[in-house]
Amino acid sequence: MSETVLDAIGASLSSALSYAQNVRVAPVALLWPDEAAQWRSIIGRLQEKLPVISLGEYDVAARSGPAYWIRCVVARSVDVGLPTGAPIVYLPGVSRSQLRAADACPPELAPIAELQYRSQWFSHPNNRDWTVRALMSNPERGLGLRIADDADTGKALLLALDRIVDERVDRLRRQQIIDADYCLELVSEDPVRSVLRWLDDPNGFRLRTEDAQWTAFVAQCKAEFAFDPMVDGEVSAARKLGLRESGWSIVWRRFAETPERYPGVAEQLRKARPEALIVDNRDAWPQENEDDEDQLRSRLRDFTVLTPEGARKEVRALDREHAWRRGTVWADLDQAQLAFALEQLVALAEVTEQPLASADLESIVTDYGDRGWRADDAVLRALAAARTASDREAVSAAAAAMYRHWVDEGAKALQQVIGPMADAHSYQAGSPAPKAPGSITLFVDGLRLDVARRVEDRLTYAGLNVDSVTSLSALPTVTQTAKPALVPTASGALGPGPDLHPANTATGTKASIQVLRALMGENGVQVLGTTEVGDPSGTAWGEVGELDHRGHDMGIRLVDHLDEDVDRIVGRIRELIEAGWERVQVMTDHGWMLLPGGMEKVELPPATSEVKKGRCARLKDGAVVDVPTVPWYWDADVRIALAPGATCFEANKEYEHGGVSPQECVVPRIAVTAGVTAAVGAPEITKVKWLGLQCRVEYSGVTDKVVVDLRGLPAEPSSSIAEQAKETSSAGKVSLLVPDEEHEGERAHLVMVAIDGQILAQREVVVGRNR
């Protein structure tokens, strides 16, 4: 048996008695104050394992007595059969401060007051009593469980304490969160849940169940589910569950609602798989899902030999075979990663079927801003869905088969258009950051357009006003050149410098970050640290995010951290708005190219360049090269060599920038102002995941009961397409089912609605589609 919560509490108590033997004498006791008496219900259980005595009415059998009796037991002048070692003195209704108050100690506690000087305390590091929630959630001295932080859960936790202590710690740690619903289920007499708990851990369930309760459970199983746990066993029960015979369909539905709560059921289903499968129940057996994932992985690897058109045709055929698996319990348990990656590969196929417009700069920028960025986004999402090395390798092969040619052609088209424009000085990079009272520029290094769209969505969902446009990066698209072009300095403060940096025209010093900050300060711009909010009546410059740094360090593994960076960017913007800034202007210096499988290397003769980067190089005066060139932003007489198309001057690069492509040159500018619902702590929809026609919603900022619904018209309750709207709970997530398959692929509105009907948060979704 794995460690139970009761075992873990006992271990915490024993650990609290440890001491430095070279410095201190052994404690005579461990004092456990519990002013709210939250732990009283399990003291008897702990006494079976540990030398616990309790303050209270005199009862030798319960090892309980008044303060003088406790003092005698600690001194071993009264024998109650405790093993050797320091006793644990449980003090219900007594706080640590009561004993520590020498002059005001209550008379009934006076006999044990002096024990504090010879004992150790079992209390929180902040010297307060260990509450049930605090000990169970504390990662250092407690159990490290995730427990919802609301009043309902606090009450339910105490109500279910004598049941929770029998749960296995490893299983509770796999719970996303322990909330009021979970605790109340433990104390309710629910036959369906009892069957699932038994299937999840048959031996543990029997050991934790008293004989009378076990007899009742067996009788209930016979009457309601037509099986005998003692005779038929768990494998037969799991087979009935998977086949969903008779009353077992209800059990299956309950399991499918929260399969993560019953991790052992999956193994029982594995053992119970029948030899002759029924097609309708094929989704019940984990081996079938694993076989499908293996087959899909193999077929995706074979994309390396396909043409782009052949790859698009094949990925659509595969999705017709595997799309149904995104609605299974295995998808919910994150065991159908390739099925979800496939959904994004289909989105990639749809965008790349049509090349980017190429007539002129305006048409390329418009087409990329309207739809082209979705191809980049689909690649990132497909890679993020595949988290194991073998899955990511297969997805990379499939993505590259469709994406490489498309991104290469787009880059060549833009290079062909920009080259003559740059030479004619008609290529206009975006203007420097605005300098206006009440406005702050928030710089994000490498905020590519598709990632910016994620930021915009999050800001809009949070109730902020968002106005987004695109501009062009300075050339070449590297931070050394393009970031200084955005910095609000005095006119003429920067000019040509060494390498790819400009320089301070007054001193000739290279424009390092320190130089740029000094120039902004001289121009009346506040330069803020990462946590400073500054004076909102003035103007300021701040920075946030690690996108470009991580891209260079991690390559395609950047996708594993994108959500974290988006969270950080959105959080910083909200912090600045809440601090009183009228307008936050989000700007970036460049985008980037990320190509699964790496970019093809092209040679640039070493003798021709002064400085060479992955996708650009500063050429020596008079150097002649057979790759595209453009003038440098800071000195038109300096030529910059560009890696053609989607190639690179360095080998083995998956992530790079500095060249000319829509991904690198077309950059976002996002203006954010406060909205009517952008209050501090307002409800926010943080994550939406479709499992077939089941919509899993995660949210934050909810303090009162709120209803979550899926509607055709956001403000019209009668347009709901959900089987049932759901009230929020302390778990921070709900599931909504769309029962009518005809709605799949339709646009709908996910709304969070207050009791008075006010829409608190809203998000547009496509039914059954993850994007």
Side-chain angles (χ1 to χ4, degrees):
M1 288 287 292
S2 297
E3 182 184 52
T4 66
V5 170
L6 191 68
D7 295 331
I9 294 170
S12 293
L13 285 161
S14 299
S15 177
L17 275 167
S18 61
Y19 66 99
Q21 297 183 19
N22 295 330
V23 178
R24 301 183 58 187
V25 297
V28 299
L30 179 68
L31 303 182
W32 182 2
D34 182 16
E35 185 175 21
Q38 291 192 353
W39 298 98
R40 195 197 298 268
S41 64
I42 66 163
I43 293 303
R45 302 279 303 278
L46 285 169
Q47 286 176 332
E48 298 172 7
K49 299 172 174 286
L50 298 167
V52 179
I53 57 176
S54 179
L55 178 70
E57 295 295 326
Y58 181 66
D59 184 344
V60 175
R63 291 186 194 165
S64 173
Y68 190 77
W69 176 85
I70 286 179
R71 179 174 177 173
C72 293
V73 172
V74 172
R76 301 288 176 170
S77 59
V78 170
D79 184 8
V80 293
L82 294 180
T84 56
I88 298 167
V89 181
Y90 176 62
L91 303 170
V94 177
S95 67
R96 180 170 176 169
S97 60
Q98 285 179 285
L99 281 181
R100 291 180 69 87
D103 297 332
C105 182
E108 63 271 19
L109 298 179
I112 59 173
E114 64 83 24
L115 286 179
Q116 64 184 295
Y117 305 113
R118 298 185 291 130
S119 302
Q120 296 195 167
W121 293 94
F122 184 60
S123 56
H124 195 281
N126 63 13
N127 291 330
R128 295 183 179 179
D129 296 354
W130 274 121
T131 63
V132 171
R133 188 205 300 272
L135 184 65
M136 288 193 176
S137 61
N138 187 281
E140 286 82 27
R141 303 191 185 186
L143 281 67
L145 304 178
R146 288 169 289 179
I147 300 176
D149 187 19
D150 64 283
D152 288 346
T153 297
K155 294 175 183 176
L157 197 61
L158 299 182
L159 184 65
L161 181 59
D162 62 334
R163 299 287 183 91
I164 290 175
V165 295
D166 289 325
E167 298 295 303
R168 286 169 47 179
V169 174
D170 60 340
R171 292 178 181 274
L172 290 179
R173 284 178 179 152
R174 287 199 291 267
Q175 283 275 120
Q176 287 194 344
I177 196 166
I178 297 170
D179 60 3
D181 291 342
Y182 176 80
C183 295
L184 293 175
E185 281 184 7
L186 285 177
V187 297
S188 66
E189 296 298 329
D190 180 350
V192 172
R193 184 180 178 281
S194 293
V195 169
L196 287 172
R197 290 186 68 207
W198 172 72
L199 269 174
D200 183 43
D201 183 13
N203 293 333
F205 182 89
R206 179 64 186 95
L207 288 172
R208 294 191 300 267
T209 306
E210 295 179 2
D211 289 344
Q213 292 176 315
W214 174 254
T215 301
F217 171 70
V218 171
Q220 205 166 36
C221 288
K222 290 178 181 178
E224 297 191 27
F225 305 112
F227 93 104
D228 184 338
M230 299 183 68
V231 175
D232 299 323
E234 59 268 19
V235 174
S236 296
R239 182 167 297 172
K240 290 177 179 290
L241 174 66
L243 295 174
R244 281 157 262 186
E245 298 172 338
S246 186
W248 286 91
S249 60
I250 299 173
V251 185
W252 177 266
R253 180 162 183 171
R254 180 76 66 83
F255 169 60
E257 286 174 356
T258 54
E260 71 278 0
R261 287 189 175 177
Y262 311 103
V265 171
E267 280 309 304
Q268 304 297 359
L269 288 167
R270 182 182 300 279
K271 299 173 190 174
R273 176 185 176 275
E275 291 191 16
L277 289 179
I278 300 174
V279 174
D280 289 345
N281 294 324
R282 189 173 180 274
D283 64 322
W285 320 111
Q287 301 97 315
E288 298 305 306
N289 176 69
E290 291 162 3
D291 289 346
D292 287 341
E293 286 282 283
D294 290 342
Q295 179 196 62
L296 180 53
R297 185 181 304 106
S298 177
R299 292 177 69 176
L300 290 175
R301 284 173 178 157
D302 291 341
F303 272 51
T304 54
V305 299
L306 297 178
T307 64
E309 183 54 40
R312 285 188 282 270
K313 182 178 179 181
E314 177 69 3
V315 82
R316 288 174 176 132
L318 287 173
D319 194 54
R320 287 193 292 271
E321 292 179 34
H322 293 273
W324 67 272
R325 293 198 294 116
R326 294 193 285 270
T328 65
V329 295
W330 315 114
D332 204 359
L333 291 170
D334 206 23
Q335 295 174 19
Q337 295 179 12
L338 289 178
F340 282 104
L342 191 58
E343 182 180 24
Q344 303 304 325
L345 292 173
V346 170
L348 176 63
E350 291 173 356
V351 180
T352 58
E353 196 161 34
Q354 179 182 347
L356 284 175
S358 58
D360 52 35
L361 179 60
E362 182 180 359
S363 64
I364 293 174
V365 171
T366 299
D367 194 24
Y368 181 70
D370 289 346
R371 70 172 190 92
W373 64 270
R374 296 186 183 278
D376 307 327
D377 182 65
V379 170
L380 298 185
R381 292 184 186 276
L383 291 168
R387 292 190 290 279
T388 68
S390 58
D391 284 354
R392 188 159 287 178
E393 177 188 3
V395 171
S396 293
M402 296 178 282
Y403 184 61
R404 184 183 296 275
H405 177 75
W406 182 85
V407 77
D408 185 66
E409 289 299 304
K412 288 177 178 176
L414 188 59
Q415 289 169 4
Q416 187 173 359
V417 167
I418 281 182
M421 291 182 66
D423 288 336
H425 308 294
S426 59
Y427 174 88
Q428 296 295 320
S431 58
K435 183 189 170 194
S439 177
I440 177 172
T441 297
L442 190 62
F443 174 80
V444 182
D445 192 1
L447 182 63
R448 197 170 71 171
L449 190 58
D450 54 320
V451 183
R453 296 294 191 237
R454 300 190 192 191
V455 173
E456 292 166 19
D457 286 347
R458 285 284 306 278
L459 294 169
T460 302
Y461 303 150
L464 295 165
N465 295 323
V466 179
D467 183 20
S468 177
V469 297
T470 58
S471 66
L472 295 171
S473 174
L475 300 179
T477 54
V478 292
T479 299
Q480 298 96 315
T481 289
K483 180 179 179 180
L486 302 176
V487 170
T489 60
S491 178
L494 293 173
D499 304 326
L500 294 171
H501 290 85
N504 183 334
T505 54
T507 64
T509 308
K510 183 175 74 172
S512 64
I513 185 62
Q514 292 80 10
V515 169
L516 294 176
R517 288 172 178 169
L519 289 173
M520 284 190 280
E522 293 170 6
N523 198 33
V525 177
Q526 305 169 63
V527 180
L528 304 185
T530 55
T531 60
E532 296 174 332
V533 295
D535 177 8
S537 66
T539 186
W541 171 281
E543 301 186 17
V544 67
E546 298 182 27
L547 286 167
D548 191 44
H549 174 73
R550 283 179 165 159
H552 285 295
D553 284 352
M554 298 180 174
I556 64 172
R557 289 186 292 119
L558 167 67
V559 301
D560 299 323
H561 301 275
L562 279 179
D563 287 341
E564 179 185 335
D565 267 298
V566 169
D567 286 345
R568 184 177 300 160
I569 295 165
V570 171
R572 181 59 169 157
I573 293 168
R574 296 184 69 173
E575 179 182 36
L576 293 168
I577 291 291
E578 290 161 8
W581 289 95
E582 294 178 12
R583 181 185 182 93
V584 178
Q585 180 81 35
V586 182
M587 302 180 73
T588 191
D589 47 356
H590 57 76
W592 31 270
M593 190 174 287
L594 187 144
L595 195 55
M599 305 171 201
E600 179 186 350
K601 182 185 177 183
V602 295
E603 295 296 336
L604 185 71
T608 62
S609 64
E610 291 185 4
V611 178
K612 186 175 73 170
K613 297 283 190 177
R615 289 203 16 97
C616 67
R618 176 174 174 161
L619 296 176
K620 294 178 179 178
D621 290 343
V624 177
V625 293
D626 58 359
V627 297
T629 64
V630 292
W632 185 31
Y633 175 84
W634 293 103
D635 185 349
D637 292 332
V638 174
R639 303 300 295 180
I640 302 295
L642 305 173
T647 61
C648 191
F649 292 138
E650 298 175 359
N652 304 315
K653 289 284 187 176
E654 297 172 321
Y655 174 101
E656 196 52 86
H657 59 86
V660 166
S661 67
Q663 287 75 13
E664 296 160 288
C665 292
V666 182
V667 292
R669 291 198 171 192
I670 309 170
V672 186
T673 56
V676 293
T677 62
V680 178
E684 179 184 359
I685 299 168
T686 57
K687 185 177 181 180
V688 177
K689 184 174 183 178
W690 285 95
L691 304 167
L693 292 176
Q694 182 174 242
C695 183
R696 287 287 174 91
V697 185
E698 296 183 18
Y699 51 83
S700 63
V702 175
T703 54
D704 299 318
K705 288 294 183 183
V706 172
V707 172
V708 184
D709 198 5
L710 277 166
R711 299 174 178 176
L713 302 171
E716 181 51 66
S718 62
S719 69
S720 175
I721 61 173
E723 181 180 55
Q724 180 183 4
K726 298 285 186 69
E727 279 193 354
T728 55
S729 71
S730 55
K733 60 181 180 178
V734 296
S735 292
L736 301 173
L737 178 66
V738 179
D740 189 346
E741 293 182 358
E742 291 185 1
H743 291 300
E744 186 169 6
E746 293 180 358
R747 294 190 178 275
H749 298 274
L750 179 64
V751 292
M752 300 184 73
V753 186
I755 295 175
D756 63 2
Q758 178 188 4
I759 295 177
L760 304 175
Q762 177 178 320
R763 183 166 179 173
E764 187 178 272
V765 297
V766 177
V767 177
R769 305 276 177 83
N770 292 292
R771 57 175 187 168

